[in-house]
Amino acid sequence: MCGIVGVVGHGEAEGFIIEGLRRLEYRGYDSAGMGVIDKGGALHRLRATGKVQALADKVPAALGGSTAIGHTRWATHGAASDDNAHPHKAGRVLVVHNGIIENFKSLREGLAAQGRTFTSQTDTEVVAHLIDREMQAGSDPVAALKSVLPRLEGAFALGVMIDGETGFIMGARKGAPLIAGLGGNEGYLGSDPLALSGHASQIMFLDDGDMAVIRPGRIEVFDARGSAVTRKLVPAETSHVLAEKGNHRHFMEKEIHEQPEVMGRTVSHYVDAFENSVHEIAGLDFRAASRLIIVGCGTAAYAGEISRYWFGSLARLAVEVDIASEFRYRDPVFLPGDIALFISQSGETADTLEAMRLAAAAGVQTLALVNTPHSTIAREASLVVPTLAGPEIGVASTKAFTSQLSALACLAVLAGRHRGHLDRAQEAGHVASLLASPGLMVKALEREGEIEQLAHEIAGHPTVLYLGRNQNFPLALEAALKLKEISYIHAEGYAAGELKHGPIALIEEGLPVIVIAPHDALFDKTRSSIQQVASRGAHVIAITDPEGARALEGEAARIITLPKGSQLTNPLLFASAVQLLAYHVAVYKGTDVDQPRNLAKSVTVE
């Protein structure tokens, strides 16, 4: 969602804000703004629709500000416009805000009845007015914010500065991420560590309900009851170098090519390469589990769907996979012995977090499969199983997805051992294949040239279909999602065996049908589906391995041949091919690959 960055005690605060907002562009936004107090004590509020550069172009030269807050906004209440861009101001109070204030209408009506005038359509502006009202009644800024926070309903992260006050900024969070930081005699506020990297030497992850007052070299924190508390400061390890594209045109391209490294890092975390075994995870025992519930959103949910096949075949463990937004509202039934696994790249996905809280309230053990170890989901789960993908800037998930699959594969092998369905030799074989996956991924990525050529061929089609069987069915869903996300082409994924139950009616002359077809136990059935659509005029593109390529010669119009993998590694390798295909289609069409329209990296509200 939106991004927040703030600083106090800096020699050129406006430059820091612009740099921080650029780093947060990956989160998705439609406008940007900042408030800065210049060296003469005057307040400047600058806002612009469009990219951060449009805001940068409005910054007067040599402000020399020491205190500032900035924001990238993704419209929720009110259209994308300069008036609706943050910060919002009432009296001396400036506010930036991520999330949604659910009761803003009633608050706004009450404030309007008292004669207050609103200049935007946002829910955020009511917060500025509430704080300003408290200050006009005699409260100091810290007491005013403390008084206002209990009246706000919803999920939010706030950044607050006061006109004329250069000694502090304030922040507060409820259900949305927010961090504070220190570096030398400066203080920082941000919604993402990436915004502060290279500046803050230490960062503090605020707990849900916390309010922070950030001064040069000092952070004061109050909990949801308003009591002073101590939160741990940790080293700021994220390097801004990780946010550089290097020699790549886009972050998405860079992150696709980082997959061998991050897959290796994730697998190495879970396995003993010397013993070819999976490490035990303290507190996790699949032996008595009656069922594994897996919950996620979007790509994370598809990773869970793929792993359902692994847990079933390797561990004979019943698995139920659900989309978080459906799970939390369908009154789910929990059984004795259930384990619930929640997948989220950011660890802040609103629906996934609430689904996990629902399971926890029912007494179910909760596992968090996250890429952000200090996130809210990670902190609230019974156990954390990390993915170690590092920062992912592109909105369309790539390396986070394959890292999730890598971790899930290791967990499935562990479950198989726990439940007595994998002997020592079988476990060693699966672990060996996972350890080999980074090298196979490197070879798979070498097919990029022919995938790019193929992308140019299908970029002009209005619809693309993806087919797969068994674990390749959810991968077909993920492949279609990737194409939709960044190229804006209508795409659908189907179970190949369902063709005759309706989807085959869509087949017409020249329609691109991309079939994920490794030469596995179901290859002949997949081959039959290829023949069915080809006979009806479809332009069939098969993604397969060397043995499959030989068998399909003359039956598919185009064949992309990837290295031979295993049950656990095939989805990883085939994921790289469909990611590259979506990427090159989008590049050819000229869309905004890293920041596709209407999408945000982290969905922290419903």
Side-chain angles (χ1 to χ4, degrees), residues 91-121:
R92 296 171 55 209
V93 180
L94 272 79
V95 173
V96 296
H97 162 225
N98 291 352
I100 293 175
I101 306 299
E102 293 181 357
N103 62 331
F104 88 99
K105 288 185 178 179
S106 60
L107 293 172
R108 183 168 173 143
E109 289 170 357
L111 289 163
Q114 295 172 6
R116 290 194 166 255
T117 302
F118 291 83
T119 61
S120 78
Q121 300 168 302

Side-chain angles (χ1 to χ4, degrees), residues 440 443 447 517-520 523 542-553 559-565 570 573-574:
L440 293 176
K443 294 180 179 178
R447 317 310 299 179
H519 200 281
D520 54 17
F523 175 77
I543 304 176
T544 186
D545 49 36
E547 190 174 354
R550 289 190 292 270
L552 292 174
E553 188 173 352
I559 297 175
I560 301 296
T561 305
L562 302 181
K564 179 69 174 179
N570 270 337
L573 305 179
F574 284 75

Side-chain angles (χ1 to χ4, degrees), residues 24-235:
L24 297 178
E25 285 185 299
Y26 77 95
R27 296 167 68 92
Y29 70 106
D30 48 45
S31 59
M34 75 162 76
V36 57
I37 300 174
D38 70 18
K39 55 189 175 185
L43 173 69
H44 298 258
R45 182 170 61 140
L46 309 165
R47 299 181 292 176
T49 53
K51 298 296 185 182
V52 170
Q53 185 58 48
L55 174 66
D57 292 340
K58 290 187 174 183
V59 178
L63 285 178
S66 64
T67 305
I69 54 173
H71 189 264
T72 51
R73 176 181 186 252
W74 193 70
T76 53
H77 296 73
S81 68
D82 286 3
D83 286 343
N84 287 329
H86 299 206
H88 290 284
K89 186 175 186 292
R92 296 171 55 209
V93 180
L94 272 79
V95 173
V96 296
H97 162 225
N98 291 352
I100 293 175
I101 306 299
E102 293 181 357
N103 62 331
F104 88 99
K105 288 185 178 179
S106 60
L107 293 172
R108 183 168 173 143
E109 289 170 357
L111 289 163
Q114 295 172 6
R116 290 194 166 255
T117 302
F118 291 83
T119 61
S120 78
Q121 300 168 302
T122 70
D123 54 338
T124 306
E125 193 177 359
V126 301
V127 182
H129 278 281
L130 288 169
I131 299 171
D132 182 63
R133 186 179 66 176
E134 293 298 314
M135 289 176 58
Q136 288 192 356
S139 294
D140 63 72
V142 174
L145 180 57
K146 277 187 181 182
S147 176
V148 166
L149 290 175
R151 306 177 204 174
L152 306 180
E153 298 174 5
F156 56 82
L158 301 173
V160 182
M161 68 181 290
I162 307 298
D163 187 3
E165 297 284 351
T166 59
F168 67 92
I169 55 176
M170 299 182 291
R173 65 157 298 197
K174 178 185 176 184
L178 194 66
I179 62 171
L182 296 176
N185 290 320
E186 299 174 2
Y188 305 96
L189 183 70
S191 52
D192 190 317
L194 197 59
L196 311 184
S197 66
H199 297 277
S201 58
Q202 295 177 297
I203 57 176
M204 175 187 293
F205 293 87
L206 299 175
D207 282 2
D208 209 34
D210 278 355
M211 168 187 160
V213 182
I214 300 100
R215 296 182 171 90
R218 183 161 62 95
I219 303 170
E220 187 177 15
V221 182
F222 303 90
D223 65 15
R225 297 185 300 275
S227 302
V229 291
T230 300
R231 302 295 184 214
K232 185 178 179 181
L233 279 163
V234 298

Side-chain angles (χ1 to χ4, degrees), residues 207-511:
D207 282 2
D208 209 34
D210 278 355
M211 168 187 160
V213 182
I214 300 100
R215 296 182 171 90
R218 183 161 62 95
I219 303 170
E220 187 177 15
V221 182
F222 303 90
D223 65 15
R225 297 185 300 275
S227 302
V229 291
T230 300
R231 302 295 184 214
K232 185 178 179 181
L233 279 163
V234 298
E237 298 176 343
T238 302
S239 169
H240 73 278
V241 174
L242 293 173
E244 300 292 340
K245 297 186 183 76
N247 295 324
H248 298 282
R249 289 170 291 179
H250 301 92
F251 285 115
M252 182 178 179
E253 181 185 33
K254 173 178 178 279
E255 288 153 4
I256 290 172
H257 285 272
E258 287 176 342
Q259 288 178 120
E261 177 187 355
V262 300
M263 286 162 49
R265 187 186 308 150
T266 299
V267 171
S268 297
H269 176 80
Y270 288 99
V271 306
D272 184 332
F274 293 98
E275 298 293 333
N276 271 357
S277 63
V278 180
H279 296 304
E280 290 289 343
I281 298 175
L284 179 59
D285 191 343
F286 288 105
R287 293 174 182 86
S290 58
R291 179 179 57 166
L292 177 64
I293 301 169
I294 301 178
V295 180
C297 297
T299 290
Y302 293 144
E305 289 280 7
I306 291 171
S307 74
R308 172 168 59 175
Y309 294 90
W310 297 339
F311 282 103
S313 63
L314 301 185
R316 306 309 299 161
L317 177 59
V319 178
E320 177 181 307
V321 183
D322 212 338
I323 298 168
S325 57
E326 291 296 319
F327 180 84
R328 62 181 288 202
Y329 291 118
R330 69 172 174 82
D331 194 17
V333 176
F334 296 105
L335 303 174
D338 277 349
I339 297 175
L341 173 64
F342 298 86
I343 307 175
S344 170
Q345 185 277 141
S346 67
E348 302 290 351
T349 311
D351 283 316
T352 306
L353 174 60
E354 293 303 325
M356 187 180 77
R357 287 171 172 167
L358 180 66
V364 175
Q365 183 182 29
T366 57
L367 309 183
L369 184 69
V370 295
N371 192 41
T372 312
H374 299 290
S375 62
T376 305
I377 289 176
R379 293 200 304 273
E380 294 190 13
S382 307
L383 291 173
V384 177
V385 281
T387 55
L388 308 176
E392 186 177 66
I393 309 302
V395 168
S397 182
T398 53
K399 66 175 182 175
F401 175 64
T402 48
S403 293
Q404 289 164 356
L405 290 177
S406 298
L408 289 164
C410 294
L411 292 177
V413 174
L414 178 63
R417 184 178 77 213
H418 279 179
R419 297 169 68 83
H421 293 284
L422 291 180
D423 60 27
R424 181 69 189 86
Q426 290 170 321
E427 178 184 5
H430 288 301
V431 170
S433 72
L434 288 170
L435 289 169
S437 63
L440 293 176
M441 177 65 87
V442 170
K443 294 180 179 178
L445 292 172
E446 292 174 354
R447 317 310 299 179
E448 184 170 11
E450 61 186 284
I451 292 173
E452 181 177 6
Q453 181 182 1
L454 173 62
H456 296 172
E457 295 175 10
I458 69 172
H461 289 271
T463 299
V464 177
L465 302 186
Y466 290 83
L467 300 178
R469 278 183 178 269
N470 198 262
Q471 63 189 29
N472 300 309
F473 164 45
L475 184 57
L477 296 173
E478 166 63 10
L481 175 62
K482 280 292 159 286
L483 192 66
K484 282 184 279 197
E485 283 181 308
I486 63 172
S487 75
Y488 316 144
I489 291 175
H490 174 252
E492 297 292 341
Y494 288 107
E498 285 291 294
L499 272 174
K500 293 182 178 178
H501 296 276
I504 202 166
L506 297 174
I507 305 302
E508 58 187 14
E509 191 70 31
L511 176 72

